[in-house]
């Protein structure tokens, strides 16, 4: 089955700096890669996703890049703010006609004011 | 549009008991997936239901089961509870099965097994 590895497990940045979280996946058939943000005690919320037919997607301060050949994808947050502090999860899923997101282990991002 | 809702939000049970958790998807969503979240194992896929049929199942023992009703609401049942079943159980809904549509998560049910 699919295996998703996520790094780093913790990340501390100064407000205004950029943050980068990286994930690798094992199943070359995976073609959908969402990123979720989970604040303490709250539900995971989708912040951005990318499908394998594009290499990059941007939404304001958040961008995701995908390298299908190397089987890795990354989340980039620019101009970080204290409210960006949360745990971020990457995930991967194949186009099998069934749902089965495989999640990375999470990155705890701390933005220092 | 109302989001995914889960009941109850908190539950305390003892070993050996069974428990049923409920999930109401976003209106119009027919796929409901369940996940277990623990500090040690992270977020793990349990199963997915679509049109009242289990479409996919993760690597969990048979004590974990589920069902889906004609209105797309889903229930998850865990029998013969073990201490290790203590976790946050999240459900997520999407319009269809498969990766074409985004999954939206509910707030979760925090289960504590004593």
């Amino acid at each position: 089955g699919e295996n998703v590895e996520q790094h780093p497990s913790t990340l501390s940045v100064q407000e205004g700096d950029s943050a980068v979280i990286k994930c690798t996946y094992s199943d070359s058939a995976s073609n959908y890669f969402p990123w979720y943000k989970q604040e303490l005690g709250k539900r995971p919320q989708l912040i951005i996703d990318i499908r394998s037919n594009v290499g990059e997607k941007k939404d304001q301060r958040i961008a995701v890049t995908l390298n299908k050949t190397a089987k890795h994808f990354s989340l980039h947050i620019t101009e970080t703010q204290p409210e960006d502090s949360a745990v971020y999860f990457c995930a991967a899923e194949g186009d099998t006609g069934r749902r089965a997101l495989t999640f990375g282990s999470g990155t705890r991002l701390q933005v220092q004011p | 549009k109302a989001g995914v809702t889960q009941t109850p939000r908190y539950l305390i049970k003892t070993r050996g008991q069974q428990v049923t958790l409920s999930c109401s998807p976003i209106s119009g969503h027919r796929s409901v997936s369940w996940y277990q979240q623990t500090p040690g194992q992270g977020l793990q896929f349990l199963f997915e239901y679509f049109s009242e049929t289990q479409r996919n199942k993760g690597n969990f023992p048979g004590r974990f089961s589920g069902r889906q009703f004609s209105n797309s609401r889903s229930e998850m049942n865990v029998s013969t509870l073990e201490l290790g079943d203590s976790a946050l159980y999240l459900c997520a809904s999407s319009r269809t099965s498969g990766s074409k549509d985004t999954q939206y998560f509910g707030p979760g049910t925090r289960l504590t097994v004593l």
Side-chain angles (χ1 to χ4, degrees), chain A residues 70-98:
Chain A
K71 291 191 281 189
H72 68 70
F73 56 113
S74 301
L75 178 72
H76 305 252
I77 306 174
T78 58
E79 300 171 21
T80 53
Q81 300 165 5
E83 50 266 38
D84 294 329
S85 297
V87 179
Y88 291 80
F89 292 95
C90 63
E93 188 174 61
D95 189 13
T96 62
R98 299 172 296 176

Side-chain angles (χ1 to χ4, degrees), chain A residues 46-61:
Chain A
L46 180 79
I47 55 170
I48 196 167
D49 57 9
I50 191 168
R51 297 179 191 277
S52 59
N53 57 344
V54 296
E56 184 172 359
K57 185 176 178 181
K58 192 172 180 182
D59 182 5
Q60 299 183 358
R61 297 186 295 107

Side-chain angles (χ1 to χ4, degrees), chain A:
Chain A
E2 175 67 275
N3 183 47
V4 177
E5 294 196 358
Q6 183 172 347
H7 299 281
S9 57
T10 59
L11 181 59
S12 182
V13 300
Q14 290 294 124
E15 183 177 357
D17 287 351
S18 295
V20 180
I21 303 171
K22 299 182 179 182
C23 290
T24 60
Y25 61 98
S26 61
D27 188 350
S28 56
S30 288
N31 66 349
Y32 174 60
F33 307 93
W35 286 87
Y36 285 87
K37 173 184 180 182
Q38 188 174 30
E39 296 175 73
L40 191 62
K42 298 195 174 177
R43 72 187 76 192
Q45 291 203 301
L46 180 79
I47 55 170
I48 196 167
D49 57 9
I50 191 168
R51 297 179 191 277
S52 59
N53 57 344
V54 296
E56 184 172 359
K57 185 176 178 181
K58 192 172 180 182
D59 182 5
Q60 299 183 358
R61 297 186 295 107
I62 294 172
V64 58
T65 58
L66 171 65
N67 183 325
K68 281 182 62 180
T69 305
K71 291 191 281 189
H72 68 70
F73 56 113
S74 301
L75 178 72
H76 305 252
I77 306 174
T78 58
E79 300 171 21
T80 53
Q81 300 165 5
E83 50 266 38
D84 294 329
S85 297
V87 179
Y88 291 80
F89 292 95
C90 63
E93 188 174 61
D95 189 13
T96 62
R98 299 172 296 176
R99 298 248 65 149
L101 281 174
T102 299
F103 283 86
S105 53
T107 296
R108 183 173 300 278
L109 173 64
Q110 183 71 40
V111 180
Q112 308 287 349

Side-chain angles (χ1 to χ4, degrees), chain B residues 34 47 49 52 65-69 73-77:
Chain B
W34 289 88
F47 30 66
Y49 284 86
E52 302 178 64
S65 63
R67 59 178 175 166
Q68 187 179 35
F69 302 94
R73 190 176 71 85
S74 177
E75 287 182 348
M76 189 191 104
N77 185 275

Side-chain angles (χ1 to χ4, degrees), chain B residues 18-103:
Chain B
Q18 75 164 24
V19 67
T20 299
L21 313 181
S22 180
C23 173
S24 292
I26 292 171
S27 177
H29 286 196
R30 294 166 62 197
S31 168
V32 175
S33 297
W34 289 88
Y35 296 86
Q36 181 194 65
Q37 186 174 26
T38 60
Q41 299 297 318
L43 270 158
Q44 292 186 289
F45 172 76
L46 279 154
F47 30 66
E48 183 215 4
Y49 284 86
F50 179 77
S51 292
E52 302 178 64
T53 302
Q54 188 180 86
R55 293 294 302 267
N56 203 2
K57 190 176 191 308
N59 190 24
F60 278 81
R63 300 185 297 107
F64 292 82
S65 63
R67 59 178 175 166
Q68 187 179 35
F69 302 94
S70 58
N71 61 358
S72 295
R73 190 176 71 85
S74 177
E75 287 182 348
M76 189 191 104
N77 185 275
V78 187
S79 62
T80 319
L81 284 166
E82 301 177 0
L83 294 179
D85 296 334
S86 293
L88 181 66
Y89 290 90
L90 293 157
C91 77
S93 75
S94 58
R95 233 191 313 262
T96 62
S97 187
S99 62
K100 286 193 172 65
D101 293 309
T102 302
Q103 276 196 330

